[in-house]
Amino acid sequence: MPLQEAMEKESLNFNQLCTFESFEEVWNHYGYKSVFQDMIEREFSRIKGITYLDHAGTTLYPESLVREFYQDICTNVYGNPHSHNPSSRLTHDTVDHVRYRILQHFNTTPDDYSVIFTSGCTAALKLVAESFPWRPPTAMEPASQFCYLTDNHTSVVGIRGVTSALGVVSLPVSPEEIEARAKDVVQSEGSSCQTPHLFCYPAQSNFSGRKYPLGYVRGIQARQLYPACDSKGRWFVLLDAASFASCSPLDLQEHPADFVPFSFYKMFGFPTGLGALLVRNDTAALLRKTYFGGGTAAAYLAGDNYYVPAPNMASRFEDGTISFLDIIALNHSFDSLHTLTGGMDKIQLHTFGLTRYTYMLLSSLCHGNGQPVAQIYSHSEFENPNTQGAILNFNLMDCHGQMIGYSQVDKLASLFNIHVRTGCFCNTGACQLFLGITNQVVKSNLQAGHVCGDNIDLVDGRPTGSVRVSFGYMSTFQDCQNFLNFVADCFVEKPVKVDQDKLDRLKSNTSSKGSSQCLLSMLTNGKPDHIDERVHASTDPVVNQRGGKAITKDAKSHEKAQTLTNIYIYPIKSCAAFEVTDWPVGPLGLLHDRGWMVVNGNRVCLNQKREPRLCLIHPQIYLPSNTLHLQASGMNTICVPLENHNEPHQSHRVCQNMVCGDRVETVDCGDEAASWLSEFLGQPCRLIRQSPDFSRDMKKGHEKEVSSTALSLVNEAQYLIVNRASVDLLQRHITSRQESSDDHQPLDTQKLISRFRANLVISGKEPFEEDDWSHLTIGNTHFQVAGRCGRCQMIGVDQSTGAKTKEPLLSLSAYRKGKVTFGVYLVHQSLGDSNSTLSVGSSVKSEMS
């Protein structure tokens, strides 16, 4: 069938146009010895409906691993390994067996390496930093050098913090320099110089998935590669295996690095909080240790400066009691991995195939005008699993070539239960290289408010980070389909096109050219079962995709005057709104607004993203009786005092909780409310309120500078206001989009207003005019605008049923061209206004920025 005909034949579905055979044409190593799909359903049923693509962050554990570990610790008694009783000997012997299994996994033995357990890879790196025999310069010999590849994790570069105080030279090395600046060095040259140097590099980049040659290990040790070839002394190699070990086999007999740190959660998913440092026994004697903890001493004196370290390498460096139950869990982790997959070689082939297939399609994907959709950050074209791991890093672009911020991609991915990672991934060197960010830009971005881990994804139109997808041994072809369809449907200007020449070139080594038509069909017609038809993130004026009338920001509201039309308070954070016609203003905002919140059994605040049924709880404030009433369908109404002045002080009822990163002091509201909430929500819960003696200030760094302001348990500011004109425009856009698709879920204006959970609703004159306001007066109360409200998937919760929907976030993202904001935050302009009252019908006057 000709390609154009296939694209126009709407009745053809995904299964008819693109089957699993198209993937097999590209790569024929999929799954393992058992029936793969059966294994997924049996071991990973909890991820049904989830497309998990953050295996480089942590992979997932199989259910059988946890069951077998539970059975183990329920059957056996494991004591402290520092004791000598039977239960302690059992622990000691089991831990020793685990050490052997770890070395066996990396094809080495206890004769060559020692295993030091740590809390993770970072702790292992810190151990090397603090115990390596760094030397300052002397008259006879140069100083030690700490050399590291610029494409290294922060935890490696952080060794510099230790060495800088010791007179040690820190030398960053770009990947291209290692071989380009290599020299033939006579081995006897400099043999008398014993200055120790350390070179650190990752076996696999956690940013791009690039695999660096393992041959660098011997090359640096033999001083054949840069920078070792330029400096006399003894060269040691630290090979960071944290990213590499998750999906690739590492042979330490062939590549005998001196230090190999890694974390087990990246390999197995469980246990977490446990890592190891493998140390070559030939190198171990050089390490120095100053602090000595329990179990590390052969002998010491309390009254004299006398200490003899334990002779065993592991005992010497494992301060205190090791996490022995987690270590015992590794036995079951290794068993599960080998039983389910057959080993790391098979995992490497399986995960590389999925990554290669995803790369081929994403890199060939184009907008209707021919512009590429993705900027992919890689040094290869994913030809070989020995040079490329199961990581794909990219940014998406609109049809004009402008970058789409990674936060927008992350928000929409979450809406479709697609789990990705965004940011710089604790690898500033690679991030700077691929994104073209200079040192000065990094410093300027910091001054502009961007710090590692935040959501500021674009500064002056340039990306500050990217999107990373990564695969694990339990990843499926369906995961690739879901992700690619998500990109095509949400971010591609229709009609979908592919760069046919590039796609054919990428496929030429492993597949026939006949499947390219099928691959394109997947993007234009294929839909995973749980992903509905949805709007793409167009940067042009929004139009009905079947030729309907355009809806633009110029659409006018029919209101002739700006007035306050609705007042809502939300006594309990994330619960239903309580609508009033007039209400007093307190020092924290509307009186009693978000003064309470619900926490789970671990004292973590619940919101509608975690528990959407919160919206079915209807709190009401009765000021004359000084009570808060809780109502819900099928439940008896209960009353909670607004203020417990008569209650005797009980210290155990005062606690601390986190709200949007702020630590707040709260007071528990008692067992009756806790029982009521627990019964309705089906999980242990408690109702807590902000302590009246506690003051929480608004954070700095808002879009518009505001004076110090006290807050309740709100997220950002005292008030949130929305404009009916903006709501009307968005509602018409949603209706227009639904008319051009099979998605018919009416969302009238009032229901749409409820999704945004605003305190104040006004009848503005122009849609989105509120974005440019600086001050607002409602009646006689004066407000300052603090900035726009960024939106997340929580606005997809139907406030009348608790059901999760994809609107209005999709349409809002499309219309706002990536700026997923709606409504603005307000704060009191002066404390003198804090005793006033707001009333529906009051006039609203605004001032522009």
Side-chain angles (χ1 to χ4, degrees), residues 371-390:
Q371 287 285 335
V373 170
Q375 173 69 57
I376 295 178
Y377 305 118
S378 173
H379 285 94
S380 75
E381 292 191 331
F382 292 69
E383 308 96 333
N384 191 327
N386 293 322
T387 59
Q388 177 64 45

Side-chain angles (χ1 to χ4, degrees), residues 72-73 76-80 87-88 90-91 94 324-325 328 332:
D72 185 349
I73 60 177
N76 297 294
V77 178
Y78 292 108
N80 190 313
S87 60
S88 299
L90 177 61
T91 301
T94 306
F324 56 87
L325 288 182
I328 290 169
H332 305 287

